[in-house]
Amino acid sequence: MAKVTLATIAQRTGLSKFAVSRSLSGKDGVSDETRRRVQEVAAELGYTRPSLEPELLTLGVIFHDTDLINSELHLLIQNGAQSEAERLGYRLNMRWTHEPDEIQAIVRACSGAVLVGPHDRGTFARVRALGKPIVRQGWLEPLEQADHVGGTDHEAGAAVANYLLALGHRRIVYVHGTPGYRGRVERFYGVREVLEKQADVEFREMRFQADSRFTEHLRAAQADGFHPTAFFCAHDGLALTVVSELLRLGYRIPENASVVGFGDYSAATQISPQLTTVKVFGQQMGAACVRLLDDRLNGRIPSDIPVRVQITSRIIERASCGPRSLSEAAAPTLPVAG
């Protein structure tokens, strides 16, 4: 007869190994009803608890605490990591810091860790020296020998370019906003590689230090004879600024201009018109980070082969985009600043 284990009980009850373990050990974290149900199934299966049942392994998830631009993405990653860790039977030690000494201490106390955000290279070197499995969620150097889970920024930029071309747009802007974010640059590269092959397309990039300067750049473009009909924005927050400014200037959206964001965060559906955007699946990224650590800890991947996991984004169509027709009224022309 096969040995009855925590996994056996978890499969029978539909619960995680974590919940089963907590129920049988008398620890908190589960409801009385769950505890009673687990104990009944354990008795029915003839489960005998080992005298020294091993503690659940602990995984660290460390978020860079000053990366405010990605705070909503990080919340989604947190939720995904928590759910997957519970399903697989791990504890999580979740922390927000960028201090190398603190990060090293956290990783030393865990079986493996996920580092999320722009942690510096010195920190990575210190945690790698501990010999624990480490998964990164953030940007790597080319061919850097590290496990990584991320999105599809370059590919998403190319997809948005094709989407806008299919709608008939031929004067397109990539609104980059504040420079220095690698993901924004990758989206720009993706847009550019598609549009530069189109002889009838005029494409420009808007780069500036503050979102409030968008109108100044639009006025300068129009003064140069460039009247864009579509704006692809590097993130949803920037797209909200663009939509608000265009409406204030007398544009109709999407009749005079289409706007696309990136992220599909909560604000995308809290404006009118609601924002067409590229959905980033942060929760699935968090879950993939935990699965990759689980694979490492269980020897399913050769130790000398770093792994890249990409979670593919998706364009979400809403009311801020529409076809560009020759019969449509021209967009407003802004007066030249005096």
Side-chain angles (χ1 to χ4, degrees), residues 151 207 216 263 280:
R207 297 172 66 98
E216 176 184 332
V280 175

Side-chain angles (χ1 to χ4, degrees), residues 282-294:
Q283 188 160 336
Q284 287 73 17
M285 288 182 187
C289 287
V290 171
R291 287 195 297 271
L292 186 47
L293 282 179
D294 180 60

Side-chain angles (χ1 to χ4, degrees), residues 40-63:
E40 288 179 352
V41 171
E44 176 187 336
L45 295 175
Y47 173 75
T48 302
R49 187 177 177 213
S51 57
L52 291 175
E53 185 174 309
E55 286 290 320
L56 297 177
L57 297 181
T58 298
L59 305 179
V61 182
I62 305 167
F63 295 90

